[in-house]
Amino acid sequence: MKRFALLASAALIGLSALPALAQSPSTLRIGLQEDPDVLDPHKARTFVGRIVFKGLCDKLLDITPELKIVPRLATEWSFSDDGLTLTMKLRSDAKFHDGEAFDAAAAKANLERAMTLPDSLRKSELASIESISVVDPTTIAMKLKRPDATLLAQLTDRAGMMLSPKSLGADIGAQPVCSGPYQFVERVQNDRIVLDKFKGHWEAANYHFDRVIYRAIPDTTVRLANLRAGELDMLERLAPTDVKSAQGDKTLKVASMPNLGYQGITINTNHTDAANQPMGKDKRVRQALSLSIDRKVLSQVVFEGLYAPIIQPFPPTSTFVDAKLPVPERDVAKAKALLKEAGQSKVSVELFVTNNPVDAQLGQVIQAMAQEVGIDIQIRSTEFASQLRDQQQGKFQMSRIGWSGRIDPDGNIHQFVTTKGNQNDGRYSNAEVDKLLDEARTIYDVAERKKRYDAAQKILTDELPIVYLYNQTVFFALRSNIEGFVINPDGMIRLAGLKRS
């Protein structure tokens, strides 16, 4: 209790230093579990960064809670009969935060930047586009190299976010100029991101707060303490261990929904010297690790049994889950036999985790389970941005990380396990997996697509470049006077309609 009070006091003191406007009734204060990475949608990859982008950067398309694709900056769209041209009509009343008009030329500039920027993480998402042409000021046409069943879904997220072409430069991630309902004011690393309402937004009347402040508070206990004290209005990812307590608090309300993604362990199989150790080199060692983990117990101990165990990258309710690949029971004897077969009596390996209490506990439980089969895990903990940077650079052996998920199955698998995938941090490579997942992108028939995903999953479940662990239910906690929050399985906080009663 003493530690709790000290941590909570420290966090509350930190908030008191914010400008007076930050405490006014027209300010919405949101607690994030991590500090976002770069605020450039073409380079970014964090979950919390996507939450900030929801207020900052409009997209061509969006999704509903029912996972239907709906208009945003694009008002209508159609594919040609051969599926090789996507034509989009665009809004004529949208502006960027610098006053410049959003038009077809701006959309073309953004999509081409996402496709060609050397360090863009959107390249594989837009790989089917051969060229983009401006038909007229409010119409663009994308000529495709091949049919692409995933493209519309890609444009509902960062690949479809629009930056002002005049602002594109070296410092755009530090001073983003978008076209969303809120515009960038300031960022204090590992503390806060401040946005002010953009009065020139085409939908400004539906946004009721003058300012939004996103606070990075990794400690779940401190984040909840700030909410209860009224220093935050809402928070994302309420810890499962706090759900019952928060539900019983009359000053708060809790909303939840299983998300679209996965949480797991990414393994460095072929990226830098870190891959040249037993876990990276031999699939049997990875199989032993997977069999050492009791996913049901993991959920019970760390998450109050609220997270569903998985071994595939799709949520349990997805059409694309292969029923022939059920979650296996823990098998210590088989895991030991696999290590012996691999010529290993004991394996030492480092596991990267984020420095928050939940991930720390998760790492410790996995460590204890693996120890019983002869896998000695050393835990390395750091703040999330550093973990992500090192992971991208291949400076890891195993990393405990997840993905918030996308409405199309391609978004949960292709870029993580194909040879040229932009987020394939472990550099896993298998020509057959590449072929199957590339083919799946071109097929619109669900049953035919599923055949490719099933075949790829059979290989991936054997080779295990990623050890999938659980599907996360996302819990949001809000002050009881915050109205209009609509929960969505993508885990994003949509600011439209939110108000304080």
Side-chain angles (χ1 to χ4, degrees):
M1 287 300 293
K2 186 180 290 184
R3 174 181 175 273
F4 172 89
L6 288 171
L7 286 169
S9 297
L12 297 176
I13 289 170
L15 274 168
S16 67
L18 292 177
L21 181 58
Q23 308 302 322
S24 72
S26 61
T27 297
L28 180 70
R29 299 151 302 173
I30 299 173
L32 305 178
Q33 185 163 299
E34 298 105 15
D35 194 42
D37 57 346
V38 63
L39 294 179
D40 180 340
H42 302 151
K43 300 179 181 181
R45 64 182 287 179
T46 58
F47 173 72
V48 286
R50 290 173 67 218
I51 292 176
V52 174
F53 283 135
K54 288 301 297 181
L56 185 62
C57 297
D58 262 341
K59 306 170 292 185
L60 291 172
L61 304 170
D62 201 0
I63 61 171
T64 68
E66 297 75 33
L67 303 183
K68 293 181 180 178
I69 295 176
V70 293
R72 196 66 191 163
L73 289 173
T75 57
E76 56 185 273
W77 53 91
S78 62
F79 282 95
S80 58
D81 290 342
D82 62 5
L84 294 178
T85 302
L86 170 62
T87 302
M88 286 190 148
K89 295 291 292 183
L90 308 175
R91 299 195 69 89
S92 59
D93 56 352
K95 294 182 180 180
F96 291 104
H97 299 151
D98 58 5
E100 294 292 316
F102 166 75
D103 57 15
K108 172 179 161 66
N110 273 271
L111 291 168
E112 288 180 343
R113 180 177 187 264
M115 292 161 56
T116 61
L117 197 68
D119 52 348
S120 170
L121 296 179
R122 311 283 82 85
K123 286 181 181 179
S124 63
E125 297 172 10
L126 302 175
S128 65
I129 300 176
E130 183 175 290
S131 63
I132 302 165
S133 60
V134 173
V135 178
D136 60 49
T138 60
T139 311
I140 59 170
M142 305 176 206
K143 184 179 179 182
L144 309 185
K145 303 169 188 174
R146 57 183 181 276
D148 188 351
T150 77
L151 185 55
L152 290 179
Q154 306 290 12
L155 297 177
T156 68
D157 209 86
R158 285 174 292 215
M161 292 180 185
M162 298 287 115
L163 295 156
S164 171
K166 285 193 174 182
S167 72
L168 297 178
D171 64 343
I172 187 65
Q175 296 284 335
V177 181
C178 288
S179 64
Y182 289 86
Q183 57 189 343
F184 181 80
V185 175
E186 70 165 344
R187 178 176 191 173
V188 179
Q189 211 75 31
N190 294 308
D191 180 30
R192 66 184 182 268
I193 294 171
V194 181
L195 309 181
D196 276 354
K197 184 174 178 177
F198 177 49
K199 294 180 181 178
H201 190 261
W202 56 274
E203 202 184 28
N206 203 24
Y207 294 85
H208 305 293
F209 290 96
D210 293 328
R211 172 166 285 198
V212 180
I213 299 176
Y214 300 91
R215 294 295 315 277
I217 307 175
D219 192 302
T220 53
T221 300
V222 174
R223 200 160 67 250
L224 180 58
N226 275 269
L227 183 69
R228 282 185 157 136
E231 299 294 339
L232 292 175
D233 295 299
M234 64 186 303
L235 60 83
E236 56 92 17
R237 277 178 291 175
L238 176 70
T241 49
D242 292 326
V243 169
K244 286 184 180 179
S245 173
Q247 287 174 334
D249 189 333
K250 293 182 180 179
T251 68
L252 306 178
K253 49 189 174 184
V254 177
S256 67
M257 182 176 282
N259 83 347
L260 300 171
Y262 65 82
Q263 299 293 316
I265 299 172
T266 295
I267 297 171
N268 191 339
T269 61
N270 196 31
H271 190 178
T272 73
D273 291 340
N276 292 321
Q277 42 85 31
M279 189 65 69
K281 288 193 299 183
D282 197 321
K283 69 178 183 181
R284 293 168 295 188
V285 178
R286 299 192 291 274
Q287 291 168 356
L289 171 67
S290 182
L291 285 170
S292 77
I293 299 170
D294 190 321
R295 290 163 173 80
K296 293 179 182 178
V297 169
L298 194 71
S299 177
Q300 289 291 341
V301 171
V302 184
F303 306 115
E304 302 288 311
L306 297 174
Y307 291 173
I310 61 171
I311 61 162
Q312 300 180 52
F314 314 124
T317 55
S318 172
T319 302
F320 295 92
V321 168
D322 186 354
K324 295 178 182 177
L325 298 173
V327 177
E329 296 293 327
R330 186 180 191 229
D331 194 331
V332 173
K334 188 174 180 180
K336 287 181 175 179
L338 282 165
L339 282 186
K340 185 176 181 181
E341 186 181 318
Q344 306 289 334
S345 58
K346 186 174 183 180
V347 171
S348 293
V349 64
E350 184 179 78
L351 176 65
F352 220 157
V353 302
T354 308
N355 65 343
N356 65 61
V358 175
D359 230 36
Q361 185 186 11
L362 181 63
Q364 290 163 5
V365 174
I366 293 171
Q367 181 186 50
M369 289 178 175
Q371 186 72 44
E372 291 183 28
V373 306
I375 299 174
D376 179 25
I377 294 177
Q378 295 91 46
I379 295 176
R380 176 161 62 118
S381 176
T382 188
E383 51 93 18
F384 186 62
S386 297
Q387 177 185 359
L388 204 56
R389 182 194 63 234
D390 284 0
Q391 185 177 310
Q392 285 179 287
Q393 295 174 358
K395 299 176 181 176
F396 76 104
Q397 295 180 358
M398 303 195 305
S399 185
R400 215 309 299 156
I401 199 164
W403 180 245
S404 53
R406 298 294 183 269
I407 60 171
D408 189 276
D410 177 88
N412 282 18
I413 188 169
H414 190 283
Q415 60 191 323
F416 302 100
V417 296
T418 53
T419 302
K420 295 182 179 180
N422 289 129
Q423 299 194 55
N424 181 359
D425 296 327
R427 296 294 192 272
Y428 170 76
S429 182
N430 182 296
E432 183 62 18
V433 169
D434 291 351
K435 176 177 176 291
L436 289 164
L437 296 183
D438 285 345
E439 284 179 3
R441 283 184 154 185
T442 69
I443 299 170
Y444 291 86
D445 181 80
V446 172
E448 285 300 315
R449 286 189 84 192
K450 189 176 186 304
K451 288 178 183 177
R452 272 69 173 182
Y453 289 121
D454 287 354
Q457 277 295 101
K458 187 175 181 180
I459 298 169
L460 294 168
T461 304
D462 177 59
E463 299 196 341
L464 291 174
I466 300 174
V467 176
Y468 302 106
L469 298 174
Y470 59 91
N471 171 254
Q472 190 175 44
T473 297
V474 180
F475 292 93
F476 295 89
L478 306 82
R479 298 289 301 174
S480 59
N481 63 347
I482 298 298
E483 299 177 347
F485 176 62
V486 178
I487 196 166
N488 194 300
D490 65 2
M492 298 296 100
I493 297 172
R494 287 162 171 79
L495 301 174
L498 280 179
K499 60 177 68 174
R500 183 181 284 109
S501 61

